[in-house]
Amino acid sequence: MLCVNVELKERRYPIYIGENLLKNPAVYPLKSGDKVMIVTNETIAPLYLSTVTATLESLGCQVSSVQLKDGEKYKTLDSLNDIFTALLRENHGRDTTLIALGGGVIGDVAGYAAASYQRGIKFIQIPTTLLSQVDSSVGGKTAVNHELGKNMIGAFYQPITVIIDTTTLNTLPKREVNAGLAEVIKYGAILDLPFFEWLEQHIDELVALEQSPLQYCIARCCQIKADVVARDETEKGDRALLNLGHTFGHAIETHLGYGNWLHGEAVAAGSMMAAALSEMLGDLSKNDVGRLEKLLARANLPTVSPDTMQPEDYLPHMMRDKKVLAGKLRLVLLKSLGQAYVATDTDKSLVLDAIRACTQFD
C-alpha cells in the first residue's frame, strides 16, 4: 500500500493507494458508534456497497446509504437534494461522516452535500474510476452542474481521507479507463516532463491496468496535485494550471449534453486545442504537439473536436466558464511539455483558429 499526504495550512489528510483497500478497516478513520451515510449510484452499489458496509460494520459503525442514478447528467441540484433528504430521514447530525463511493460525479455531489449539510460534516472519498482516483477525489473541489455551465455551483471542501482501491478498476469499462488517462497525461504535460516521458514508455501497461505501474502512476498524479493544492487550495494561482484543456472540454460537454462525451474525452480534445494555440503563439514546438497527440491516441482518446460541433459553438460556452475574470478568457497553455502557464485575454480569433486546427472538417 502507498500513501500520499495532502499537506494544507491548517490540516492534512492521507490518500491510501493499493489493492483490496475496501476490505481493510485500518484505512477508515472511524470508530465504534460512528454514524455513516454512504452515497453511491445504481451501478457501483451492486459491486461494492456491501463490501464497504461490512467493513464499516466490523468497526462498529452505524451505516446507512443512498443510491443516485448513474451519469454526468445526474450531477444536479436534484441529486444533491436526494442526499439531504436521506440524511434528514435517517436523523443524521453534525457528527455524521458522509462517504462518497463511486466516480467523479458521486465524489463531487457527495462532497458538496457534506460541505452544505448542517454547514459542514466530515466526508471520505472512495473513488472507483481512474479519473476520480487521479484527479477529482483529491483537493476538495465539489460541485454540481447547471444546464448553462459545468461545475458552476459548488464549494472547496476537503475530505478527511481518500481511499483508492485499485482493484475497483477491473470492473470499469475500458472507455472510462481511457478517459481517466487524459487527466494522467495532463499532469505530465503541465508540470512534470520526466513523468510525461515515463508515460510514453508505460502507457500500454496502464491501458492494460497492470497493477505495479498503475499504482505508481496514481500515486505520482496524487502527489503532483497534492503539492499544487498545498500551495493554492482555492485556485487563486498555481492550481489553475491543473485545468489544461478544461475550458475547451467543458464547452464540449455542455454543448453536447452532459455524459455524451466523458469528461476525460473532452479534456483530451481540449488539451490538443490548447497545444495548437500554444504552437500558434510560438511557445510549443510542432514536435511536442505531435508527442502529446500520439500519447493521447495511444490511450484511445479523441484528439479532435466532436464532428457535431462547429468552432463557433465553443466561445459562448467558454465565456461562461468559471475561469473567466472581468470578461477576459483565461486559458492554460504550454511553454513546453512539462511547463504550463495561464494566458489572460487571449485573442479570440486565435482561439478559434486553434479549435479549427483540431476539427474533423479541415
Side-chain angles (χ1 to χ4, degrees):
M1 180 174 68
L2 304 175
C3 182
V4 173
N5 287 306
V6 180
E7 305 276 357
L8 303 174
K9 290 180 181 178
E10 298 176 355
R11 59 201 178 283
R12 70 198 300 264
Y13 61 88
I15 305 168
Y16 297 110
I17 304 158
E19 296 179 78
N20 299 311
L21 295 188
L22 299 187
K23 300 177 181 178
N24 185 351
V27 299
Y28 294 83
L30 297 164
K31 62 184 184 305
S32 181
D34 284 348
K35 292 192 72 172
V36 177
M37 170 71 79
I38 301 171
V39 181
T40 188
N41 66 36
E42 58 194 7
T43 300
I44 296 299
L47 297 171
Y48 304 118
L49 180 58
S50 61
T51 299
V52 175
T53 299
T55 305
L56 294 172
E57 288 177 342
S58 75
L59 289 168
C61 297
Q62 302 174 47
V63 186
S64 55
S65 64
V66 57
Q67 294 183 34
L68 307 180
K69 292 182 179 179
D70 186 13
E72 182 79 26
K73 64 182 178 180
Y74 298 110
K75 186 176 166 181
T76 62
L77 287 169
D78 286 340
S79 294
L80 187 70
N81 195 55
D82 289 342
I83 299 172
F84 293 148
T85 299
L87 286 164
L88 290 165
R89 282 179 176 165
E90 298 284 340
N91 295 314
H92 284 272
R94 285 184 174 173
D95 57 346
T96 287
T97 299
L98 210 61
I99 293 182
L101 175 62
V105 171
I106 289 296
D108 276 12
V109 179
Y112 189 31
S116 305
Y117 186 69
Q118 298 196 18
R119 299 187 177 89
I121 59 176
K122 294 183 292 186
F123 89 109
I124 296 169
Q125 288 271 22
I126 306 182
T128 59
T129 65
L130 182 58
L131 191 147
S132 60
Q133 289 176 354
V134 300
D135 188 65
S136 60
S137 69
V138 180
K141 276 189 176 180
T142 71
V144 295
N145 297 333
H146 188 278
E147 62 182 8
L148 295 180
K150 183 178 169 70
N151 293 333
M152 283 296 178
I153 307 163
F156 288 98
Y157 197 69
Q158 300 289 345
I160 58 172
T161 298
V162 180
I163 301 168
I164 297 177
D165 186 334
T166 52
T167 55
T168 62
L169 300 181
N170 294 330
T171 57
L172 196 65
K174 281 297 181 184
R175 184 182 174 195
E176 294 269 5
V177 173
N178 299 336
L181 289 171
E183 296 284 4
V184 169
I185 293 167
K186 172 198 75 176
Y187 285 114
I190 61 172
L191 288 168
D192 193 336
L193 178 58
F195 182 52
F196 188 93
E197 293 168 342
W198 182 90
L199 290 171
E200 289 179 311
Q201 296 173 9
H202 297 278
I203 193 69
D204 297 336
E205 298 163 47
L206 298 177
V207 170
L209 296 179
E210 294 184 19
Q211 277 293 323
S212 180
L214 183 64
Q215 290 184 33
Y216 167 79
C217 172
I218 293 171
R220 183 67 196 129
C221 291
C222 288
Q223 187 65 67
I224 293 170
K225 185 162 187 180
D227 290 345
V228 172
V229 171
R231 295 195 301 269
D232 180 22
E233 183 175 353
T234 56
E235 201 170 307
K236 302 230 173 16
D238 284 359
R239 186 166 179 171
L241 297 177
L242 298 173
N243 293 314
L244 177 70
H246 283 59
T247 301
F248 296 101
H250 288 169
I252 293 172
E253 291 181 88
T254 303
H255 189 82
L256 296 186
Y258 300 123
N260 286 294
W261 269 38
L262 298 179
H263 176 66
E265 294 169 339
V267 166
S271 295
M272 285 307 305
M273 293 170 190
L277 181 54
S278 300
E279 183 186 5
M280 291 174 182
L281 291 169
D283 291 327
L284 198 62
S285 71
K286 187 176 184 65
N287 180 64
D288 282 350
V289 174
R291 288 174 68 186
L292 179 60
E293 182 177 20
K294 183 177 179 181
L295 188 56
L296 290 168
R298 287 174 63 196
N300 305 305
L301 287 162
T303 56
V304 294
S305 174
D307 58 11
T308 55
M309 283 186 77
Q310 298 289 338
E312 292 74 19
D313 293 331
Y314 281 79
L315 281 177
H317 298 296
M318 293 171 72
M319 292 307 298
R320 283 195 290 266
D321 191 85
K322 301 184 303 302
K323 292 171 282 299
V324 170
L325 290 179
K328 294 182 178 181
L329 188 61
R330 295 194 308 157
L331 296 169
V332 180
L333 302 178
L334 297 171
K335 285 284 185 186
S336 61
L337 288 176
Q339 185 180 2
Y341 70 102
V342 177
T344 57
D345 203 22
T346 307
D347 188 313
K348 293 182 179 63
S349 64
L350 270 182
V351 174
L352 281 172
D353 286 344
I355 296 169
R356 289 189 186 101
C358 297
T359 67
Q360 300 183 53
F361 309 112
D362 293 345

